[in-house]
Amino acid sequence: MPVLPGQEGHDGSPTIAVLHAADLPPGLADHTSDAELRFATDDTLADTLPGCDALLVWNFTSDAVRAAWPAADTMRWVHTASAGVDRLIFPGLVDSDVTLTNSRGVFDTPMAEYVLGVVLAFAKDLPQTVRLQGRGEWRHRETEGVAGRCAVVVGGGPIGHAIARLLAAVGLRVRLVGRRPADGVHGIDELDALLPEADFLVLAAPLTDRTRGLLDAAALRRLKPTSRVINVGRGGLVVQPDLVDALAAERIAGAALDVFETEPLPADSPLWGMPNVIVSPHMSGDTVGWRDALVELFAENLARYRAGTPLRNVVDKARGYVTGSTGGSA
């Protein structure tokens, strides 16, 4: 991991811009008492960046950094309160000497628990049970088991590995897919051959040029009519109209979607009304205390920055993710 040159800020105290929306990072001031904090929203970020050494992208759903970037005249380090960095992979930042770090490690277990939850919900037909209960209707059904079923998990980073461990623990056969083959990991080039085997296709990869539109009409045709798709990665991994068509035609059995190309999901999206779809509002990693964990990770990296020691979670800006995990990220 690189050590940033000149990591001391002005007068030995770093100046940090914090891009936020309605909420502020909880307890951030307690961890940054010797730093100058400049809080900004989308419309004030460009005026806030001049003279700043670091930027905390607390509002990680914002696209404001790209537009405001020309004002970042003294920037050395950008940290995002998210695992995905696709909104920050733009030429100005990528081509600069600025170090980019992310919040890898905070969301692994919560997202794996979400995936396990929707796998069981589909197998046990829980959405239909809730609908029938709401109508006061007693209708006995048989449900599915999960032991021995196959889950193909796309994403060879920590989140993908956490998902694979939990699904294997309840008896699923897991095929983990990463950027390149490794021990227990299939390479992304093997995905097409694995799709016909998938009872559950889980997308947990970062959004890069290579993974954008990964699940398109051709890939969907390789799935079984009984397959379910689960997307906790990024909306852009899926060609959404192709997925809607496959669901409407019952070419696949269902989908659980936590991320979308456009967020919030528009009110007129057909996905809202599909009985075989579970829609959640980009919350699969957000368990009680997650904001505190994000602040603690940033505070640890800030201490490293001040000490001139290597930062955690340095992103390879050319690839769009932190490298070094087993099998790489897809």
Side-chain angles (χ1 to χ4, degrees):
M1 294 180 289
V3 177
L4 281 66
Q7 286 184 329
E8 290 298 320
H10 300 300
D11 299 323
S13 179
T15 302
I16 305 169
V18 181
L19 174 62
H20 67 95
D23 66 318
L24 296 175
L28 181 62
D30 296 336
H31 296 286
T32 56
S33 57
D34 60 345
E36 178 188 346
L37 297 180
R38 298 181 183 176
F39 292 96
T41 55
D42 285 7
D43 56 345
T44 63
L45 183 62
D47 294 330
T48 304
L49 288 180
C52 288
D53 306 290
L55 168 63
L56 168 58
V57 184
W58 185 252
N59 180 13
F60 53 81
T61 65
S62 171
D63 290 313
V65 178
R66 181 191 297 260
W69 189 251
D73 54 351
T74 57
M75 190 66 59
R76 298 173 182 141
W77 168 40
V78 173
H79 178 86
T80 180
S82 62
V85 297
D86 45 283
R87 295 179 185 273
L88 297 171
I89 300 299
F90 55 86
L93 177 53
V94 170
D95 297 338
S96 73
D97 293 329
V98 174
T99 297
L100 175 62
T101 59
N102 73 355
S103 296
R104 166 172 154 163
V106 172
F107 302 103
D108 305 356
T109 297
M111 292 177 70
E113 292 171 346
Y114 172 94
V115 171
L116 175 59
V118 294
V119 165
L120 293 173
F122 277 134
K124 302 309 172 186
D125 201 23
L126 295 183
Q128 176 72 336
T129 295
V130 172
R131 286 191 291 268
L132 293 172
Q133 178 183 346
R135 300 199 297 263
E137 182 176 345
W138 180 281
R139 187 193 304 172
H140 180 270
R141 289 112 57 220
E142 294 180 345
T143 62
E144 306 167 18
V146 297
R149 309 290 291 280
C150 177
V152 174
V153 179
V154 183
I159 293 172
H161 276 81
I163 292 169
R165 285 192 297 270
L166 271 191
L167 296 186
V170 296
L172 280 97
R173 297 179 293 110
V174 180
R175 304 289 183 259
L176 186 59
V177 179
R179 182 173 58 89
R180 61 183 184 275
D183 185 22
V185 181
H186 297 270
I188 191 68
D189 293 339
E190 301 175 66
L191 179 60
D192 282 354
L194 293 171
L195 289 177
E197 188 180 351
D199 295 296
F200 299 95
L201 173 64
V202 182
L203 303 178
L207 183 62
T208 66
D209 290 342
R210 188 173 188 183
T211 61
R212 185 176 293 278
L214 184 72
L215 188 64
D216 58 9
L220 286 160
R221 284 194 293 270
R222 295 185 180 94
L223 294 172
K224 298 182 287 190
T226 54
S227 297
R228 278 87 170 212
V229 172
I230 302 167
N231 189 9
V232 294
R234 282 291 185 265
L237 299 174
V238 175
V239 180
Q240 193 164 293
D242 292 352
L243 178 61
V244 169
D245 288 346
L247 289 163
E250 298 184 351
R251 291 194 295 272
I252 61 172
L257 307 171
D258 187 55
V259 288
F260 305 88
E261 188 73 58
T262 299
E263 296 182 0
L265 182 65
D268 61 354
S269 171
L271 291 168
W272 286 112
M274 290 183 160
N276 54 348
V277 174
I278 297 173
V279 170
S280 57
H282 204 147
M283 56 178 281
S284 64
D286 301 349
T287 53
V288 175
W290 69 288
R291 293 178 178 86
D292 299 298
L294 290 172
V295 170
E296 289 167 7
L297 175 58
F298 174 72
E300 179 187 340
N301 253 357
L302 178 59
R304 289 169 177 257
Y305 175 87
R306 295 297 309 280
T309 56
L311 302 182
R312 284 183 57 188
N313 294 352
V314 174
V315 173
D316 183 330
K317 294 184 290 184
R319 293 179 175 174
Y321 49 83
V322 179
T323 58
S325 60
T326 304
S329 297

